[in-house]
Amino acid sequence: MNRDAMLSNFSRLTMSIAMAFAVAACSPTAEPPAEPPLAGADIGGPFELVNKDGETVRWQDFDGQYRIVYFGFTYCPDICPNDVQRMSQGLRMFAESDPESAAQVQSIFISVDPERDTPEIVGEFAAAFSDDLIGLTGSPEQVKTAADNFRVFYSRGEDTPGGGYLVDHSAVVYLFGPSGEPLATLPTDMGAQAVAAELAKWVS
Ligand code: NI
């Protein structure tokens, strides 16, 4: 077979694959529900943290509820407040279109700065965004265990004027299902509307 024939065979093959995909994508019926992007991922898992009232809160306390989980720190100058703002706003928008489903969702903020983020401070931070957002912190060991289980990285960053410091951290907004299974990440970088649309995909 010469090179041209091979190329032409190859392009016929690619064409038929492309057409098969096109047909599948256009088919209006019999589409199986898409698999959640994080299905089967080893993310999430046991933690024991402390809420604003100093009570112990465990991951399994949320069994039966969908959960939005974000790790950050209350002194964060920009990224955390933006993400938490958009995830809270997205959940409110979702609640306007589907209040029953939204009522099954609990959003949770977990501090990666346990040295400064006391239960009270985390509680105030959470309340500033939504009455329904739970703020959690804990001992450095408790926070480390939680972050490790959720594949969240954090470390002390640059000092800031006035004796403060930043905390470098992963900024991922996770959505989990009622059994604590990871489903998807919520695109806070694309705005609250995109967050609401993603919630509508997976929460029912
Ligand atoms: Ni931050």
Side-chain angles (χ1 to χ4, degrees), residues 70-81 83 109 112 167-171:
Y70 183 80
F71 286 74
F73 66 113
T74 72
Y75 292 82
C76 182
D78 41 30
I79 296 175
C80 293
D83 281 338
F109 173 87
V112 290
V167 181
D168 299 327
H169 64 97
S170 326

Side-chain angles (χ1 to χ4, degrees), residues 59 62-67 175-183:
W59 183 230
F62 301 100
D63 283 356
Q65 289 176 292
Y66 288 81
R67 310 137 209 206
L175 175 66
F176 292 87
S179 308
E181 73 280 23
L183 297 175

